[in-house]
Amino acid sequence: MTAPVRVVLGGPAAQPQQARAAFDEAWPIAVAFAVFVAIWKLVVLVGGLPVFILPPPETVAARFVTAWTDGTIAPHAVTTIGEVALGFAAGAGVGLVVGYGLARSRLVERLLSPYLVTAQAVPILALAPLLALWFGPGLLAKVIICGLIVFFPVAIATMVGIRSVDRGLLELGRSLRASRRQVLLTLEIPAALPSILGGLRVGVTLAVVGAIVGEWAGADKGLGVLVNLARGSLFDIPLLFATLVTIALLGIACYLLVVLAERRLVGVR
């Protein structure tokens, strides 16, 4: 009697394919980064630019490493990460609720749309000093600034996603006597999820911008504060660039977290 053959999915045979897929996805990024650094170095050499104008990439890399190892950047980065996390959570949470209300209630849309557009038209850089004056230089002002800059793209993406749900599905749910909660959880949210996650992609990077702007308006710690210190009193331009690299890496990390969540929830699109 022939023994049954067992097929194990995702075993050792799948690992080379996964490694190949990861390599195919990573090598264009590595090449683009290498080209960027080469152009940066070429501009410094050809232009003969001094360090206080544009330091070469190797100088910035060395200062980046020393600033992290001697504890210069780490405390400021921790502060900014906390502001980004809280601001993003607050702005995205309110944006989801308001976006759903805009999509499902004409009254809510008529009442809120003018104020939302007006608030979005005013630059956050102009609002930040006022918010710092009202709420003080502490954490609350930074969270509000982050929340405001995150709120609009998430609310609009949620509104567009909910409105794009197939009306046939909604009518089917009503014909089956599904409750409002069941329609929301089983029909509306899954159908609108790609659009909502697109708004979250934009919002999470804007949260980093909001945190830096809030720190510029008034703070004693944070990556935005370190940028001002490196540019002003310290006049440490390599540290300034190292801080900017840290801010960029923070934005990339936040974006990738949302992309990872999106792939888990809706798959690769």
Side-chain angles (χ1 to χ4, degrees):
M1 182 176 181
T2 305
V5 178
R6 298 180 60 188
V7 178
V8 180
L9 298 177
Q15 293 178 359
Q17 296 179 356
Q18 295 173 354
R20 177 66 180 178
F23 175 78
D24 290 342
E25 189 173 350
W27 77 261
I29 300 173
V31 171
F33 178 74
V35 171
F36 170 76
V37 172
I39 294 174
W40 178 1
K41 180 66 175 179
L42 186 63
V43 169
V44 173
L45 292 176
V46 174
L49 300 177
V51 174
F52 65 87
I53 297 296
L54 180 63
E58 65 273 14
T59 302
V60 174
R63 191 68 182 95
F64 179 85
V65 173
T66 57
W68 274 100
T69 54
D70 64 13
T72 301
I73 292 181
H76 296 280
V78 170
T79 299
T80 300
I81 290 171
E83 296 166 356
V84 170
L86 292 175
F88 176 71
V94 176
L96 290 170
V97 175
V98 172
Y100 186 83
L102 292 172
R104 288 292 175 245
S105 173
R106 294 296 179 185
L107 177 61
V108 172
E109 183 181 10
R110 292 194 202 99
L111 291 176
L112 296 185
S113 291
Y115 300 101
L116 295 179
V117 174
T118 301
Q120 183 65 17
V122 178
I124 194 66
L125 195 60
L127 288 176
L130 183 61
L131 294 173
L133 178 64
W134 286 349
F135 299 101
L139 178 63
L140 179 59
K142 315 301 181 301
V143 172
I144 293 175
I145 292 170
C146 285
L148 284 175
I149 200 171
V150 170
F151 165 80
F152 192 78
V154 175
I156 297 302
T158 303
M159 180 185 71
V160 172
I162 295 296
R163 285 184 176 176
S164 65
V165 177
D166 189 353
R167 292 188 177 275
L169 290 176
L170 299 179
E171 292 174 1
L172 176 62
R174 296 189 188 100
S175 67
L176 296 175
R177 296 184 179 180
S179 65
R180 194 73 196 88
R181 180 173 177 273
Q182 289 174 326
V183 171
L184 174 65
L185 296 179
T186 61
L187 295 178
E188 292 180 323
I189 290 181
L193 201 54
S195 178
I196 293 172
L197 288 168
L200 292 177
R201 282 197 192 194
V202 177
V204 75
T205 54
L206 291 178
V208 178
V209 176
I212 301 302
V213 170
E215 290 165 358
W216 283 348
D220 56 2
K221 189 180 290 187
L223 293 175
V225 174
L226 187 57
V227 167
N228 286 334
L229 289 175
R231 180 189 59 183
S233 58
L234 297 178
F235 199 66
D236 189 345
I237 304 304
L239 176 61
L240 169 62
F241 275 80
T243 307
L244 293 177
V245 170
T246 303
I247 294 171
L249 291 175
L250 175 58
I252 292 171
C254 293
Y255 182 83
L256 291 178
L257 286 175
V258 176
V259 171
L260 179 61
E262 181 179 7
R263 290 185 176 182
R264 291 292 182 89
L265 293 172
V266 301
V268 179
R269 291 184 294 141

